[in-house]
Every structure is written in C-alpha cells, then in structure tokens.
Amino acid sequence: MQMSDTFEKMDAYLEQSLLRADPLLEKIAENSRKEGLVPHAVTPLQAEFLALLIRLIDAKRVLEIGCLGGYSAVAMARAMSNDAYILTTEIDTRTAAVAQANIDQSGFGDRIELRIGPAMQALDDEIAAGSVFDFVFIDADKVNHKNYLEKALQLTRPGAVIVADNIVRGGGVLDADSEDNSIRGIREMLAFAQTLQGVEQTAMQTVGAKGYDGMALFRVTG
Ligand code: DHB
Ligand code: MG
C-alpha cells in the first residue's frame, strides 16, 4: 500500500472520529467541485483547526487571502460571533461568482465580504484605511506568500494569529534551486520569517487527503 493511501484513509478515519456530519461545508465542497474549481480548499479537519484557533483567540475580524470557493471562509465565519467580520479576497471572477453563491447560500453572507481582485490591492487598501485584524489566513498564490505575510503583519495587533498554508508542497520547498515560482515564494516567506522580531512562529507538517504539505503559524507579540 502506498503511504498516500494511508494518509487519505487516516484522514477519513480522523474526520469520522472527530467531526460531526457537516451538510453546510459538504454542500460548498460539492458545489465547488461541480463548478470545476481546483481541489485546493482546506480539508474538513483543517477547516476545524482554523475554526478552533479563531475561537481560542475570540477573533472578531478575520482576513482571508485567497477565497477559492468560500469553504474556509464559511468554516471560519461559523466559528465567530454574530457581529464578526471576515474579509476574503479572490482574483478570479468566475471563482468569485461560485464563492459568492456558496457564501450567500451558507447563511453567513452578512459576516463575509468577498473582495474581487488582486489580494495585494485589497491589502494595500486595508492598510491605507488603518484596518486591524485578529486572524489572517494566507492561502492565495504562493508566489506572493512573503508579500502577503509582510502585509498581514502590518494589518494585525499584538495577540493576532497568522496562518500560512502550503509551506511544504510535498517537500518541494526543500529545493533551494527550484524554478517553480510557488516554491520560490514559500522559500522567500520562510527566509523573511527568519528576520522577524515581535513574532512567535512555528510550522506543522501535514499529511492527509491533500497529500504532504504544511502550515506556518505566527503569533504577533509586539
Ligand atoms: C495549491 C494551492 C493551495 O492553496 C493548496 O492548499 C494546495 C495546492 C496549488 O496551487 O497547487
Ligand atoms: Mg492552500
């Protein structure tokens, strides 16, 4: 048996053991699949991990960089109180239309603002407006991972948490000479992280339904 089979089976087993039936997120996943979106959304267990972090710090304002079909945005919105706010960005207009429909159907549309366009533009606009967020999920084009982290740090307060997805990419990130722009982007982010002060940071490698990858975790202290 391939290890990847085991990862997938284990993911399914953990999901079955720990998570309840979730018609809301299942519907979004199914709709996203039907609409032909890339299968890059977080897994159910990962969505619950983000939700749990949000509840731990009682985040009221969440910034998501990279919406895709709205799966993680809805999972996070659901973890928050009624007065909470999520800003999520999506560069692809067709993807954004699918996401907006999913968000509208979810019943959490009043908490989620989907900003269509380049994430960098949204981040610069939010910085200019003096916005502050409690939690940031970086999950857009990996080429800009470092730039997104840099902007996220400008948009957060002490105590805020930043999570960056896809920092392992099957181990491809080990290759310092890679010509893959996504891998280069992740490596730039990790090199930048090394220079940071006023941040507590770690990473978790993950295996599961989406193969071998990982997330970096940052807590802003100063
Ligand atoms: C890719 C992007 C993601 O956000 C993800 O979780 C997995 C893969 C990708 O672009 O390959
Ligand atoms: Mg991702």
Side-chain angles (χ1 to χ4, degrees):
M1 193 164 74
Q2 295 271 315
M3 262 326 263
S4 57
D5 286 344
T6 309
F7 297 161
E8 278 193 37
K9 285 188 177 140
M10 195 66 212
D11 223 37
Y13 175 51
L14 291 174
E15 205 179 300
Q16 211 178 66
S17 304
L18 300 174
L19 302 184
R20 314 222 179 266
D22 195 341
L24 176 60
L25 291 187
E26 276 158 27
K27 184 90 201 300
I28 292 176
E30 186 198 318
N31 197 39
S32 301
R33 212 166 26 239
K34 250 191 334 220
E35 294 288 347
L37 300 195
V38 289
H40 293 162
V42 296
T43 66
L45 287 163
Q46 289 172 340
E48 188 52 30
F49 175 69
L50 296 175
L52 197 145
L53 289 176
I54 280 171
R55 288 189 212 103
L56 278 174
I57 65 166
D58 193 19
K60 301 285 186 209
R61 290 175 53 85
V62 166
L63 171 62
E64 178 178 67
I65 305 172
C67 179
L68 196 57
Y71 186 94
S72 43
V74 169
M76 293 192 287
R78 192 171 59 177
M80 298 163 73
S81 51
N82 289 334
D83 59 340
Y85 169 72
I86 295 192
L87 174 61
T88 182
T89 74
E90 177 52 52
I91 192 166
D92 183 75
T93 49
R94 210 193 73 76
T95 301
V98 175
Q100 191 63 63
N102 284 337
I103 289 165
D104 291 343
Q105 274 184 31
S106 76
F108 292 99
D110 56 338
R111 300 185 201 173
I112 303 172
E113 180 188 349
L114 172 56
R115 190 91 49 90
I116 303 167
M120 212 66 80
Q121 183 64 55
L123 297 178
D124 285 338
D125 290 348
E126 291 303 305
I127 290 168
S131 297
V132 178
F133 292 89
D134 309 305
F135 186 89
V136 183
F137 183 43
I138 303 175
D139 194 22
D141 54 309
K142 315 311 166 198
V143 182
N144 278 308
H145 240 43
K146 178 241 173 190
N147 299 326
Y148 296 146
L149 176 60
E150 198 169 14
K151 307 269 181 197
L153 289 166
Q154 293 174 50
L155 282 164
T156 41
R157 54 155 179 93
V161 170
I162 301 169
V163 177
D165 199 20
N166 309 117
I167 59 150
V168 173
R169 299 185 75 82
V173 167
L174 268 179
D175 182 3
D177 302 319
S178 177
E179 296 192 353
D180 178 325
N181 286 330
S182 297
I183 287 171
R184 292 163 77 113
I186 302 288
R187 289 186 64 91
E188 275 177 34
M189 191 206 76
L190 292 170
F192 172 61
Q194 204 169 30
T195 70
L196 292 176
Q197 312 247 318
V199 179
E200 297 165 352
Q201 52 193 9
T202 188
M204 299 220 310
Q205 299 194 69
T206 56
V207 293
K210 286 175 69 188
Y212 171 37
D213 217 322
M215 290 184 181
L217 298 146
F218 306 87
R219 180 176 171 273
V220 179
T221 59

